[in-house]
Amino acid sequence: MITYEWLYALAGAAFALWALLSVRDRRWGNAGFWALLAASFLLGSHVSDLMNGLLVLAMVAIAGGGGLTRSDPATTTPQERQLLSERLGNRLFLPALVVPLTAVAGTLLYNYTPFGETGLFEARRETLILFGLGVVAALALAIAWLRPPLLAPAEEGRRLLDSIGWAAILPQMLAALGAVFALAGVGEIIGGLAGDIIPAGSVFLTVAVFALGMALFTVIMGNAFAAFPVMAAAIGIPLLVQQYGGNPAVIGAVGMLAGFCGTLLTPMAANFNIVPAALLALKDQHGVIRQQIGTALPLLVCNIVIIYVGAFLLWN
C-alpha cells in the first residue's frame, strides 16, 4: 500500500538533494536549512515532538541569522530561454498539466471503478498521493521531452527555492500555528464573542461572520489552513453544523475558499504575494495584491451566498 508517508519521503529526498548541492557550492547556511527540513520530512513521524520542535528552532536560527543566500547555479541564458519559448510555445505547459490531470482523473478512477478495490492507496489520502505521483510523472515527461542535463531539474529547483528562502515553508509553519491556536482555545473564545453579538436564529448572519472571519484571520495569519481550525471551532462546528444543522462538507470546503480570499489580500501570505513580486522584480512590492483585490472581494461575497444556499437551503 502506498501511504501518506511516501509523500513525506519524496519531499524529504528533494530537500536532501538541494542540501547536498548547497554543500557542493559551500553555501553552509542553505545546506543546513534544507538538510534540517529534509530531516523533518524523513524522520518527523518517527521522532518525538520535542525533537521536531528543536529542528524547527534550528531552522529559525539559521534563517533569522541571515544564513540563507541566493544560489546561482549554471543555467540557460535569457537569449536561450527566449529561443526555447519561441520554438515550443504554449506546449511548455504540458508537463505542468500532467499534475492536476493525474490527481483529478486518478482520484475519480480510483473511487468509482474497481481499481479502488485493490487498496493500493491509503484511505482518504488518494488525491494527495496521486498529486505526488503526478509531480513525478510531469518531471519524467519534461526530462524525456526536453532532454536537459541530468541535474538541471534539481539545480533549477534549488535556484527557485533559494530565491524564495524561508518563505517557502511559511504555509507549513502557519498551518501548525492554526493547530496551536485551536488547542489553546482561541476558537472557543471567539465563538463566545460571536454568540453574544449574532442574534439567535440568524443563520445568514452567522454564515457571513464565519466567512468574513475566515478571510480576516487568513489576512492576519497568512494562511487559510491556519485560520480554519480557529473559525471551525468558534463558529463552523458549534453553530453552523451542530446548532443549525448545516452541511459540513459545504461549510468546510467553501469556508476554505473564503479564507483563500484573504490570502489574495495579505502580505503575510509571502510565498503567494511578496515572493512573486520579488522574483518578477516588480517596483511595487504589493503590486500582486493590488491586482487581486478586484477578484478577492466579489469572490468572498459569492462564497457567503454559496455557503448559505448550499449548506442550508439545498441541504434541508
Side-chain angles (χ1 to χ4, degrees):
M1 175 187 292
I2 300 176
T3 67
Y4 205 42
E5 199 72 24
W6 288 47
L7 288 182
Y8 290 142
L10 178 63
F15 287 118
L17 178 57
W18 289 323
L20 290 174
L21 292 175
S22 297
V23 169
R24 185 196 62 184
D25 292 348
R26 298 185 179 182
R27 297 180 182 273
W28 307 116
N30 295 46
F33 188 87
W34 302 125
L36 288 168
L37 187 57
S40 72
F41 276 99
L42 294 172
L43 305 174
S45 301
H46 309 286
V47 298
S48 65
D49 292 341
L50 175 61
M51 181 58 66
N52 280 304
L54 292 175
L55 289 174
V56 171
L57 291 176
M59 292 168 61
V60 170
I62 293 174
L68 290 173
T69 58
R70 287 180 177 240
S71 59
D72 189 25
T75 184
T76 54
T77 65
Q79 293 77 15
E80 289 173 328
R81 290 194 291 273
Q82 180 66 31
L83 290 174
L84 286 170
S85 67
E86 291 175 355
R87 179 166 62 88
L88 299 173
N90 289 333
R91 287 179 295 165
L92 283 170
F93 292 100
L94 289 176
L97 295 176
V98 171
V99 180
L101 180 63
T102 302
V104 175
T107 300
L108 293 175
L109 287 172
Y110 190 80
N111 289 328
Y112 297 102
T113 68
F115 181 47
E117 299 175 2
T118 63
L120 179 62
F121 302 131
E122 180 182 353
R124 297 189 300 276
R125 306 292 190 185
E126 301 91 345
T127 301
L128 290 173
I129 293 172
L130 285 163
F131 184 88
L133 292 175
V135 171
V136 175
L139 179 60
L141 173 62
I143 292 174
W145 176 31
L146 302 174
R147 299 188 181 280
L150 183 60
L151 284 179
E155 293 284 22
E156 291 296 334
R158 178 171 68 106
R159 180 179 60 81
L160 180 60
L161 201 64
D162 286 345
S163 298
I164 298 173
W166 60 267
I169 63 170
L170 190 60
Q172 184 182 358
M173 295 291 190
L174 292 175
L177 180 62
V180 171
F181 278 12
L183 291 173
V186 175
E188 286 77 4
I189 295 173
I190 296 174
L193 294 174
D196 294 334
I197 297 173
I198 302 173
S202 180
V203 178
F204 183 79
L205 186 57
T206 306
V207 168
V209 171
F210 171 68
L212 292 172
M214 278 294 303
L216 179 59
F217 266 85
T218 302
V219 167
I220 295 172
M221 303 173 75
N223 191 300
F225 290 97
F228 187 76
V230 176
M231 293 307 301
I235 299 175
I237 296 174
L239 296 181
L240 296 180
V241 176
Q242 295 179 345
Q243 182 171 335
Y244 296 128
N247 185 334
V250 175
I251 293 168
V254 186
M256 283 296 294
L257 289 178
F260 295 152
C261 293
T263 302
L264 299 175
L265 300 172
T266 177
M268 284 296 291
N271 55 323
F272 290 105
N273 300 328
I274 302 303
V275 169
L279 292 177
L280 296 173
L282 300 181
K283 294 181 179 180
D284 184 1
Q285 188 180 22
H286 301 295
V288 174
I289 296 175
R290 297 185 200 283
Q291 294 300 316
Q292 293 173 166
I293 292 175
T295 299
L297 297 181
L299 184 58
L300 179 58
V301 174
C302 291
N303 287 334
I304 294 173
V305 174
I306 293 171
I307 293 175
Y308 180 66
V309 173
F312 295 95
L313 300 187
L314 297 181
W315 174 249
N316 295 319

